[in-house]
Amino acid sequence: MVNSQRSMVNLVIDIGNTLQKLAVFDESGKIVKFLQEKQLSVPILEEVLACYPVRSAIVSSVGKDDEELFRWLGCRVKLVRFSSECRLPINMRYATPETLGTDRIANAVGANALYPGENVLSIMAGTCLVADFVNADGEYLGGSIAPGMQMRFQALSQFTARLPLVDPESIDYFIGDDTRGSILSGVINGMAREIDGLIAQYEEAFSGLKVLFSGGDSELLQKFIKKRIFAAPNPTLFGLYKILVLNASED
């Protein structure tokens, strides 16, 4: 039973290419409930709404939309469908914002909210290796997109005759002494050096750079990265929360 005396909360849903994430934020911006599923469903949302007095919700999707799920949710709470048309707490300097993934926009908003007034590079190691940069003036300039870890393992197997498909796992070496170990070392150490090089480029151009590192594969990579990084578990979700607060308060 929902306690009517409790403060209202906000619901954030992030539909990614691989996983779908749900977070309930209290009024202070703290996550009080987090779920990560292959596929969110009405029963899952029913349980969340039964436990938390949700005032408004935002849905961001770069994967396959579930219109039935969105309609169901929209009939029960104030629902914001996130797009490039939504108001943002940062200034967009991207040449084609309509082509920009909503996850990247939210990632940039979250990074800026965590470090306002600073140059911030937020790197996500997920389906893709994505970097987004917001300068000290709160302007989103853009970033980069490269293949993620799983893509690299799949490409080595798919585009060669004899290399096996290797599953990601934690390693503590850089010299692989068999084929499997060589693939693991090549992908993981290669991505770490790629990230170090990316950070170095931004450091040369922007003073006092803060670097956030998140995503499903970040734990496998972070111990090999030589540059200073800050672990940030959910900058995208936090950014969506900030966007929801801004847009839900319009009326």
Side-chain angles (χ1 to χ4, degrees):
M1 179 179 296
V2 174
N3 184 345
S4 61
Q5 300 301 311
R6 287 188 295 167
S7 298
M8 300 296 283
V9 297
N10 293 291
L11 175 64
V12 168
I13 296 176
D14 178 25
I15 309 293
N17 291 302
T18 305
L19 294 171
Q20 302 184 359
K21 300 174 184 178
L22 175 154
V24 176
F25 284 82
D26 66 17
E27 291 192 330
S28 70
K30 179 183 177 182
I31 293 179
V32 294
K33 175 72 173 181
F34 174 77
L35 288 174
Q36 183 170 272
E37 304 283 345
K38 285 285 189 182
Q39 180 73 47
L40 293 173
S41 63
V42 168
I44 291 173
L45 294 185
E46 280 182 326
E47 184 175 345
V48 171
L49 295 187
C51 295
Y52 297 94
V54 175
R55 171 174 48 204
S56 54
I58 188 169
V59 173
S60 168
S61 177
V62 296
K64 184 178 179 181
D65 289 344
D66 186 337
E67 293 298 334
E68 182 179 350
L69 186 73
F70 299 162
R71 282 194 297 270
W72 181 92
L73 184 59
C75 290
R76 286 155 179 81
V77 302
K78 179 173 182 178
L79 180 63
V80 174
R81 297 284 293 272
F82 182 40
S83 73
S84 60
E85 301 298 316
C86 289
R87 292 175 61 203
L88 298 174
I90 58 175
N91 295 314
M92 184 63 63
R93 295 290 181 263
Y94 201 71
T96 55
E98 68 280 359
T99 69
L100 185 61
T102 53
D103 56 337
R104 292 186 65 194
I105 301 174
N107 182 41
V109 170
N112 177 254
L114 289 168
Y115 291 98
E118 302 199 50
N119 293 315
V120 187
L121 177 66
S122 185
I123 301 173
M124 294 188 296
T127 302
C128 295
L129 179 62
V130 179
D132 293 295
F133 177 74
V134 182
N135 67 19
D137 294 324
E139 297 174 321
Y140 175 74
L141 302 188
S144 59
I145 306 172
M149 185 178 293
Q150 193 65 251
M151 285 187 190
R152 299 179 195 221
F153 284 124
Q154 290 172 348
L156 285 169
S157 175
Q158 182 177 346
F159 294 109
T160 62
R162 297 188 178 183
L163 290 181
L165 177 60
V166 174
D167 291 325
E169 66 176 60
S170 179
I171 61 172
D172 58 2
Y173 54 83
F174 67 94
I175 300 176
D177 61 5
D178 60 12
T179 299
R180 182 172 174 279
S182 296
I183 292 173
L184 284 167
S185 176
V187 170
I188 294 175
N189 283 288
M191 288 184 72
R193 297 291 74 77
E194 181 180 338
I195 292 167
D196 276 329
L198 182 67
I199 294 171
Q201 284 183 306
Y202 278 87
E203 285 178 333
E204 288 181 8
F206 301 98
S207 62
L209 184 72
K210 293 287 191 303
V211 182
L212 305 184
F213 192 45
S214 63
D217 293 324
S218 59
E219 290 187 8
L220 295 178
L221 292 164
Q222 59 188 11
K223 67 182 179 181
F224 292 100
I225 296 172
K226 296 178 180 178
K227 292 289 186 178
R228 188 184 183 194
I229 56 175
F230 297 90
N234 294 298
T236 301
L237 293 177
F238 188 57
L240 287 171
Y241 163 73
K242 288 293 187 179
I243 294 166
L244 174 60
V245 170
L246 180 63
N247 284 270
S249 62
E250 285 187 323
D251 51 39

